[in-house]
Amino acid sequence: MAQAFARKMANDGFDLVLAGRNTDELDAIRRDLLVRSPSCSVQCLFFDAMDMESHREMIDRLSPLPEVAACFVGSMGDEIAARCDAGALALILRSNFEGPANVLGIVAKRFEDRGSGTIVGISSVAGERGRKTNYIYGSAKAGFTAFLSGLRNQLQSAGVHVVTVLPGFVATKMTSHLSLPPALTAKPEAVASAIAKAIRKETNVIYVKPVWFVIMTIIKAIPESIFKKMSL
Ligand SMILES: NC(=O)c1ccc[n+]([C@@H]2O[C@H](COP(=O)([O-])OP(=O)(O)OC[C@H]3O[C@@H](n4cnc5c(N)ncnc54)[C@H](OP(=O)(O)O)[C@@H]3O)[C@@H](O)[C@H]2O)c1
């Protein structure tokens, strides 16, 4: 998803800074972007969402401060192990919630001081209701969704906008081992276009495929006494 979004933004004329922990892959993406959009500038920065002490220094290296900061970091981890293993639990909570919240919180303060900017966080419909198959990942995403909502509320008077992205199923590396229903599954390019549109229109929360809004409205309305007996 991040790569598709980078392509979309480069195609739309933005200069880019790519931040990630796999520097060889980042450099390959940078070279690909320069071939596709030769007039844009692309820098790469090392970024490990789990290493929260390093985030401030990474943000200090952004010059100029960007107009848009988008965080696609996330990991499904080992959901079963995370139920009773502190390390597996921490990996899911930190990569989906604490790390993204920490780095975006630092960016948010800089945007607030400047008086402009857009923050984009990729959360998940999994955070809208705890299900037995993925409630650790889901609770991390629920925390991140609440974080983004509060940040939006805090920053609106400062001229800073926050977009929460609830992608539904997307065909990416993360889901490559799953058999996803085509009607409910978006392509990364569709996610990228939906985010670019949300940035332009200052939309607050987006479901990439609108059917997910309907599905989640129904799922959230099911009484807990019934929901606990369901296999969703
Ligand atoms: N695919 C779906 O169906 C779906 C649905 C809802 C929400 N989401 C969310 O969408 C976002 C993007 O996921 P995706 O589907 O595009 O899968 P992906 O290709 O696996 O992207 C996840 C990205 O997070 C990065 N990451 C994980 N831990 C990190 C860390 N500690 N430091 C820095 N980077 C880290 C990964 O980098 P590495 O390459 O270094 O591992 C990878 O680039 C995630 O937040 C995911 O939870 C996905």
Side-chain angles (χ1 to χ4, degrees), residues 45-71:
L45 286 181
F46 179 80
F47 167 60
D48 182 355
M50 304 284 277
D51 181 9
M52 285 181 266
E53 295 302 318
S54 70
H55 293 179
R56 191 172 301 279
E57 193 186 326
M58 196 265 295
I59 300 301
D60 285 343
R61 294 177 62 196
L62 293 173
S63 178
L65 191 62
E67 280 305 318
V68 175
C71 181

PDB file of all heavy atoms in Angstrom, residues 45-71:
ATOM      1  N   LEU A  45      14.989   7.396   4.333  1.00  0.00           N
ATOM      2  CA  LEU A  45      15.455   7.480   5.714  1.00  0.00           C
ATOM      3  C   LEU A  45      15.243   6.141   6.402  1.00  0.00           C
ATOM      4  O   LEU A  45      14.192   5.504   6.204  1.00  0.00           O
ATOM      5  CB  LEU A  45      14.647   8.525   6.497  1.00  0.00           C
ATOM      6  CG  LEU A  45      14.882  10.004   6.240  1.00  0.00           C
ATOM      7  CD1 LEU A  45      13.969  10.819   7.155  1.00  0.00           C
ATOM      8  CD2 LEU A  45      16.337  10.359   6.496  1.00  0.00           C
ATOM      9  N   PHE A  46      16.214   5.740   7.226  1.00  0.00           N
ATOM     10  CA  PHE A  46      15.995   4.534   8.032  1.00  0.00           C
ATOM     11  C   PHE A  46      14.985   4.846   9.127  1.00  0.00           C
ATOM     12  O   PHE A  46      15.064   5.881   9.802  1.00  0.00           O
ATOM     13  CB  PHE A  46      17.310   4.042   8.655  1.00  0.00           C
ATOM     14  CG  PHE A  46      17.103   2.816   9.497  1.00  0.00           C
ATOM     15  CD1 PHE A  46      16.990   1.572   8.892  1.00  0.00           C
ATOM     16  CD2 PHE A  46      16.971   2.914  10.882  1.00  0.00           C
ATOM     17  CE1 PHE A  46      16.750   0.439   9.669  1.00  0.00           C
ATOM     18  CE2 PHE A  46      16.735   1.786  11.658  1.00  0.00           C
ATOM     19  CZ  PHE A  46      16.629   0.551  11.042  1.00  0.00           C
ATOM     20  N   PHE A  47      14.022   3.930   9.288  1.00  0.00           N
ATOM     21  CA  PHE A  47      12.982   4.132  10.313  1.00  0.00           C
ATOM     22  C   PHE A  47      12.527   2.777  10.835  1.00  0.00           C
ATOM     23  O   PHE A  47      12.075   1.920  10.066  1.00  0.00           O
ATOM     24  CB  PHE A  47      11.789   4.875   9.691  1.00  0.00           C
ATOM     25  CG  PHE A  47      10.544   4.866  10.553  1.00  0.00           C
ATOM     26  CD1 PHE A  47      10.553   5.425  11.825  1.00  0.00           C
ATOM     27  CD2 PHE A  47       9.359   4.296  10.083  1.00  0.00           C
ATOM     28  CE1 PHE A  47       9.415   5.418  12.625  1.00  0.00           C
ATOM     29  CE2 PHE A  47       8.213   4.290  10.867  1.00  0.00           C
ATOM     30  CZ  PHE A  47       8.240   4.848  12.136  1.00  0.00           C
ATOM     31  N   ASP A  48      12.698   2.568  12.140  1.00  0.00           N
ATOM     32  CA  ASP A  48      12.159   1.359  12.775  1.00  0.00           C
ATOM     33  C   ASP A  48      11.088   1.804  13.765  1.00  0.00           C
ATOM     34  O   ASP A  48      11.396   2.442  14.778  1.00  0.00           O
ATOM     35  CB  ASP A  48      13.279   0.581  13.480  1.00  0.00           C
ATOM     36  CG  ASP A  48      12.753  -0.706  14.120  1.00  0.00           C
ATOM     37  OD1 ASP A  48      11.514  -0.942  14.087  1.00  0.00           O
ATOM     38  OD2 ASP A  48      13.577  -1.476  14.640  1.00  0.00           O
ATOM     39  N   ALA A  49       9.844   1.452  13.456  1.00  0.00           N
ATOM     40  CA  ALA A  49       8.727   1.895  14.307  1.00  0.00           C
ATOM     41  C   ALA A  49       8.862   1.383  15.734  1.00  0.00           C
ATOM     42  O   ALA A  49       8.358   2.013  16.679  1.00  0.00           O
ATOM     43  CB  ALA A  49       7.403   1.422  13.699  1.00  0.00           C
ATOM     44  N   MET A  50       9.556   0.237  15.913  1.00  0.00           N
ATOM     45  CA  MET A  50       9.691  -0.357  17.251  1.00  0.00           C
ATOM     46  C   MET A  50      10.714   0.401  18.105  1.00  0.00           C
ATOM     47  O   MET A  50      10.687   0.298  19.328  1.00  0.00           O
ATOM     48  CB  MET A  50      10.138  -1.820  17.139  1.00  0.00           C
ATOM     49  CG  MET A  50       9.244  -2.688  16.287  1.00  0.00           C
ATOM     50  SD  MET A  50       7.724  -3.118  17.121  1.00  0.00           S
ATOM     51  CE  MET A  50       8.254  -4.521  18.091  1.00  0.00           C
ATOM     52  N   ASP A  51      11.623   1.125  17.452  1.00  0.00           N
ATOM     53  CA  ASP A  51      12.692   1.832  18.167  1.00  0.00           C
ATOM     54  C   ASP A  51      12.244   3.269  18.420  1.00  0.00           C
ATOM     55  O   ASP A  51      12.655   4.220  17.751  1.00  0.00           O
ATOM     56  CB  ASP A  51      13.987   1.783  17.334  1.00  0.00           C
ATOM     57  CG  ASP A  51      15.137   2.476  18.044  1.00  0.00           C
ATOM     58  OD1 ASP A  51      14.992   2.843  19.229  1.00  0.00           O
ATOM     59  OD2 ASP A  51      16.185   2.674  17.395  1.00  0.00           O
ATOM     60  N   MET A  52      11.396   3.419  19.440  1.00  0.00           N
ATOM     61  CA  MET A  52      10.722   4.705  19.617  1.00  0.00           C
ATOM     62  C   MET A  52      11.655   5.833  20.029  1.00  0.00           C
ATOM     63  O   MET A  52      11.386   6.999  19.748  1.00  0.00           O
ATOM     64  CB  MET A  52       9.546   4.541  20.573  1.00  0.00           C
ATOM     65  CG  MET A  52       8.398   3.839  19.848  1.00  0.00           C
ATOM     66  SD  MET A  52       6.945   3.610  20.826  1.00  0.00           S
ATOM     67  CE  MET A  52       7.246   1.985  21.442  1.00  0.00           C
ATOM     68  N   GLU A  53      12.783   5.475  20.654  1.00  0.00           N
ATOM     69  CA  GLU A  53      13.747   6.521  21.046  1.00  0.00           C
ATOM     70  C   GLU A  53      14.357   7.200  19.824  1.00  0.00           C
ATOM     71  O   GLU A  53      14.893   8.312  19.926  1.00  0.00           O
ATOM     72  CB  GLU A  53      14.873   5.909  21.905  1.00  0.00           C
ATOM     73  CG  GLU A  53      14.406   5.348  23.247  1.00  0.00           C
ATOM     74  CD  GLU A  53      13.708   6.412  24.091  1.00  0.00           C
ATOM     75  OE1 GLU A  53      14.198   7.552  24.126  1.00  0.00           O
ATOM     76  OE2 GLU A  53      12.650   6.107  24.673  1.00  0.00           O
ATOM     77  N   SER A  54      14.331   6.531  18.676  1.00  0.00           N
ATOM     78  CA  SER A  54      14.985   7.091  17.475  1.00  0.00           C
ATOM     79  C   SER A  54      14.052   7.980  16.648  1.00  0.00           C
ATOM     80  O   SER A  54      14.495   8.632  15.701  1.00  0.00           O
ATOM     81  CB  SER A  54      15.484   5.941  16.579  1.00  0.00           C
ATOM     82  OG  SER A  54      14.371   5.269  15.998  1.00  0.00           O
ATOM     83  N   HIS A  55      12.775   8.029  16.978  1.00  0.00           N
ATOM     84  CA  HIS A  55      11.821   8.707  16.090  1.00  0.00           C
ATOM     85  C   HIS A  55      12.049  10.214  15.988  1.00  0.00           C
ATOM     86  O   HIS A  55      11.972  10.788  14.908  1.00  0.00           O
ATOM     87  CB  HIS A  55      10.379   8.431  16.542  1.00  0.00           C
ATOM     88  CG  HIS A  55       9.967   7.001  16.374  1.00  0.00           C
ATOM     89  ND1 HIS A  55       8.736   6.531  16.737  1.00  0.00           N
ATOM     90  CD2 HIS A  55      10.641   5.929  15.882  1.00  0.00           C
ATOM     91  CE1 HIS A  55       8.665   5.239  16.472  1.00  0.00           C
ATOM     92  NE2 HIS A  55       9.817   4.856  15.965  1.00  0.00           N
ATOM     93  N   ARG A  56      12.342  10.832  17.133  1.00  0.00           N
ATOM     94  CA  ARG A  56      12.504  12.287  17.121  1.00  0.00           C
ATOM     95  C   ARG A  56      13.680  12.680  16.217  1.00  0.00           C
ATOM     96  O   ARG A  56      13.587  13.616  15.412  1.00  0.00           O
ATOM     97  CB  ARG A  56      12.712  12.811  18.547  1.00  0.00           C
ATOM     98  CG  ARG A  56      12.627  14.318  18.679  1.00  0.00           C
ATOM     99  CD  ARG A  56      12.646  14.746  20.133  1.00  0.00           C
ATOM    100  NE  ARG A  56      11.553  14.172  20.905  1.00  0.00           N
ATOM    101  CZ  ARG A  56      10.304  14.640  20.920  1.00  0.00           C
ATOM    102  NH1 ARG A  56      10.002  15.709  20.201  1.00  0.00           N
ATOM    103  NH2 ARG A  56       9.369  14.053  21.644  1.00  0.00           N
ATOM    104  N   GLU A  57      14.762  11.911  16.323  1.00  0.00           N
ATOM    105  CA  GLU A  57      15.941  12.222  15.507  1.00  0.00           C
ATOM    106  C   GLU A  57      15.622  12.037  14.023  1.00  0.00           C
ATOM    107  O   GLU A  57      16.076  12.816  13.173  1.00  0.00           O
ATOM    108  CB  GLU A  57      17.086  11.285  15.939  1.00  0.00           C
ATOM    109  CG  GLU A  57      18.423  11.687  15.418  1.00  0.00           C
ATOM    110  CD  GLU A  57      19.477  10.644  15.768  1.00  0.00           C
ATOM    111  OE1 GLU A  57      19.376  10.026  16.846  1.00  0.00           O
ATOM    112  OE2 GLU A  57      20.376  10.443  14.927  1.00  0.00           O
ATOM    113  N   MET A  58      14.814  11.007  13.712  1.00  0.00           N
ATOM    114  CA  MET A  58      14.437  10.785  12.315  1.00  0.00           C
ATOM    115  C   MET A  58      13.619  11.972  11.789  1.00  0.00           C
ATOM    116  O   MET A  58      13.863  12.480  10.696  1.00  0.00           O
ATOM    117  CB  MET A  58      13.628   9.483  12.223  1.00  0.00           C
ATOM    118  CG  MET A  58      13.485   8.906  10.841  1.00  0.00           C
ATOM    119  SD  MET A  58      11.978   9.364   9.986  1.00  0.00           S
ATOM    120  CE  MET A  58      10.723   8.605  10.965  1.00  0.00           C
ATOM    121  N   ILE A  59      12.686  12.454  12.611  1.00  0.00           N
ATOM    122  CA  ILE A  59      11.858  13.589  12.184  1.00  0.00           C
ATOM    123  C   ILE A  59      12.715  14.858  12.059  1.00  0.00           C
ATOM    124  O   ILE A  59      12.514  15.678  11.156  1.00  0.00           O
ATOM    125  CB  ILE A  59      10.682  13.828  13.174  1.00  0.00           C
ATOM    126  CG1 ILE A  59       9.781  12.584  13.254  1.00  0.00           C
ATOM    127  CG2 ILE A  59       9.860  15.055  12.780  1.00  0.00           C
ATOM    128  CD1 ILE A  59       9.164  12.151  11.960  1.00  0.00           C
ATOM    129  N   ASP A  60      13.720  15.010  12.941  1.00  0.00           N
ATOM    130  CA  ASP A  60      14.627  16.165  12.863  1.00  0.00           C
ATOM    131  C   ASP A  60      15.335  16.228  11.514  1.00  0.00           C
ATOM    132  O   ASP A  60      15.748  17.307  11.068  1.00  0.00           O
ATOM    133  CB  ASP A  60      15.698  16.090  13.968  1.00  0.00           C
ATOM    134  CG  ASP A  60      15.141  16.451  15.335  1.00  0.00           C
ATOM    135  OD1 ASP A  60      14.053  17.057  15.386  1.00  0.00           O
ATOM    136  OD2 ASP A  60      15.787  16.104  16.344  1.00  0.00           O
ATOM    137  N   ARG A  61      15.503  15.062  10.879  1.00  0.00           N
ATOM    138  CA  ARG A  61      16.246  15.040   9.611  1.00  0.00           C
ATOM    139  C   ARG A  61      15.385  15.428   8.419  1.00  0.00           C
ATOM    140  O   ARG A  61      15.879  15.536   7.298  1.00  0.00           O
ATOM    141  CB  ARG A  61      16.850  13.643   9.404  1.00  0.00           C
ATOM    142  CG  ARG A  61      17.913  13.332  10.462  1.00  0.00           C
ATOM    143  CD  ARG A  61      18.452  11.936  10.321  1.00  0.00           C
ATOM    144  NE  ARG A  61      19.112  11.719   9.048  1.00  0.00           N
ATOM    145  CZ  ARG A  61      19.401  10.519   8.558  1.00  0.00           C
ATOM    146  NH1 ARG A  61      19.071   9.438   9.224  1.00  0.00           N
ATOM    147  NH2 ARG A  61      20.015  10.405   7.407  1.00  0.00           N
ATOM    148  N   LEU A  62      14.083  15.642   8.637  1.00  0.00           N
ATOM    149  CA  LEU A  62      13.193  16.022   7.531  1.00  0.00           C
ATOM    150  C   LEU A  62      13.347  17.510   7.239  1.00  0.00           C
ATOM    151  O   LEU A  62      12.968  18.348   8.052  1.00  0.00           O
ATOM    152  CB  LEU A  62      11.735  15.734   7.891  1.00  0.00           C
ATOM    153  CG  LEU A  62      11.345  14.264   8.040  1.00  0.00           C
ATOM    154  CD1 LEU A  62       9.922  14.171   8.570  1.00  0.00           C
ATOM    155  CD2 LEU A  62      11.480  13.535   6.714  1.00  0.00           C
ATOM    156  N   SER A  63      13.933  17.824   6.114  1.00  0.00           N
ATOM    157  CA  SER A  63      14.120  19.226   5.753  1.00  0.00           C
ATOM    158  C   SER A  63      13.879  19.391   4.250  1.00  0.00           C
ATOM    159  O   SER A  63      14.632  18.830   3.452  1.00  0.00           O
ATOM    160  CB  SER A  63      15.532  19.666   6.128  1.00  0.00           C
ATOM    161  OG  SER A  63      15.733  20.989   5.740  1.00  0.00           O
ATOM    162  N   PRO A  64      12.817  20.107   3.850  1.00  0.00           N
ATOM    163  CA  PRO A  64      11.848  20.782   4.699  1.00  0.00           C
ATOM    164  C   PRO A  64      10.866  19.794   5.325  1.00  0.00           C
ATOM    165  O   PRO A  64      10.772  18.643   4.884  1.00  0.00           O
ATOM    166  CB  PRO A  64      11.120  21.705   3.714  1.00  0.00           C
ATOM    167  CG  PRO A  64      11.161  20.956   2.411  1.00  0.00           C
ATOM    168  CD  PRO A  64      12.475  20.229   2.415  1.00  0.00           C
ATOM    169  N   LEU A  65      10.143  20.274   6.321  1.00  0.00           N
ATOM    170  CA  LEU A  65       9.082  19.473   6.915  1.00  0.00           C
ATOM    171  C   LEU A  65       8.007  19.227   5.846  1.00  0.00           C
ATOM    172  O   LEU A  65       7.570  20.168   5.194  1.00  0.00           O
ATOM    173  CB  LEU A  65       8.488  20.265   8.084  1.00  0.00           C
ATOM    174  CG  LEU A  65       7.531  19.534   9.031  1.00  0.00           C
ATOM    175  CD1 LEU A  65       8.232  18.386   9.741  1.00  0.00           C
ATOM    176  CD2 LEU A  65       6.958  20.518  10.046  1.00  0.00           C
ATOM    177  N   PRO A  66       7.594  17.970   5.614  1.00  0.00           N
ATOM    178  CA  PRO A  66       6.636  17.708   4.526  1.00  0.00           C
ATOM    179  C   PRO A  66       5.247  18.277   4.796  1.00  0.00           C
ATOM    180  O   PRO A  66       4.916  18.626   5.925  1.00  0.00           O
ATOM    181  CB  PRO A  66       6.583  16.185   4.448  1.00  0.00           C
ATOM    182  CG  PRO A  66       7.243  15.673   5.653  1.00  0.00           C
ATOM    183  CD  PRO A  66       8.020  16.771   6.302  1.00  0.00           C
ATOM    184  N   GLU A  67       4.456  18.342   3.726  1.00  0.00           N
ATOM    185  CA  GLU A  67       3.061  18.768   3.849  1.00  0.00           C
ATOM    186  C   GLU A  67       2.180  17.624   4.329  1.00  0.00           C
ATOM    187  O   GLU A  67       1.153  17.843   4.954  1.00  0.00           O
ATOM    188  CB  GLU A  67       2.537  19.275   2.494  1.00  0.00           C
ATOM    189  CG  GLU A  67       2.951  20.697   2.169  1.00  0.00           C
ATOM    190  CD  GLU A  67       2.556  21.692   3.254  1.00  0.00           C
ATOM    191  OE1 GLU A  67       1.431  21.594   3.783  1.00  0.00           O
ATOM    192  OE2 GLU A  67       3.382  22.555   3.601  1.00  0.00           O
ATOM    193  N   VAL A  68       2.583  16.389   3.963  1.00  0.00           N
ATOM    194  CA  VAL A  68       1.767  15.210   4.290  1.00  0.00           C
ATOM    195  C   VAL A  68       2.670  14.172   4.952  1.00  0.00           C
ATOM    196  O   VAL A  68       3.783  13.930   4.479  1.00  0.00           O
ATOM    197  CB  VAL A  68       1.165  14.582   2.994  1.00  0.00           C
ATOM    198  CG1 VAL A  68       0.416  13.300   3.320  1.00  0.00           C
ATOM    199  CG2 VAL A  68       0.260  15.569   2.275  1.00  0.00           C
ATOM    200  N   ALA A  69       2.203  13.566   6.046  1.00  0.00           N
ATOM    201  CA  ALA A  69       2.928  12.440   6.653  1.00  0.00           C
ATOM    202  C   ALA A  69       1.969  11.260   6.725  1.00  0.00           C
ATOM    203  O   ALA A  69       0.896  11.367   7.326  1.00  0.00           O
ATOM    204  CB  ALA A  69       3.417  12.808   8.049  1.00  0.00           C
ATOM    205  N   ALA A  70       2.325  10.157   6.084  1.00  0.00           N
ATOM    206  CA  ALA A  70       1.439   8.987   6.042  1.00  0.00           C
ATOM    207  C   ALA A  70       2.159   7.793   6.650  1.00  0.00           C
ATOM    208  O   ALA A  70       3.295   7.494   6.283  1.00  0.00           O
ATOM    209  CB  ALA A  70       1.040   8.676   4.598  1.00  0.00           C
ATOM    210  N   CYS A  71       1.509   7.126   7.590  1.00  0.00           N
ATOM    211  CA  CYS A  71       2.111   5.960   8.258  1.00  0.00           C
ATOM    212  C   CYS A  71       1.364   4.693   7.864  1.00  0.00           C
ATOM    213  O   CYS A  71       0.190   4.534   8.196  1.00  0.00           O
ATOM    214  CB  CYS A  71       2.095   6.140   9.772  1.00  0.00           C
ATOM    215  SG  CYS A  71       2.855   4.743  10.623  1.00  0.00           S
TER     216      CYS A  71
END
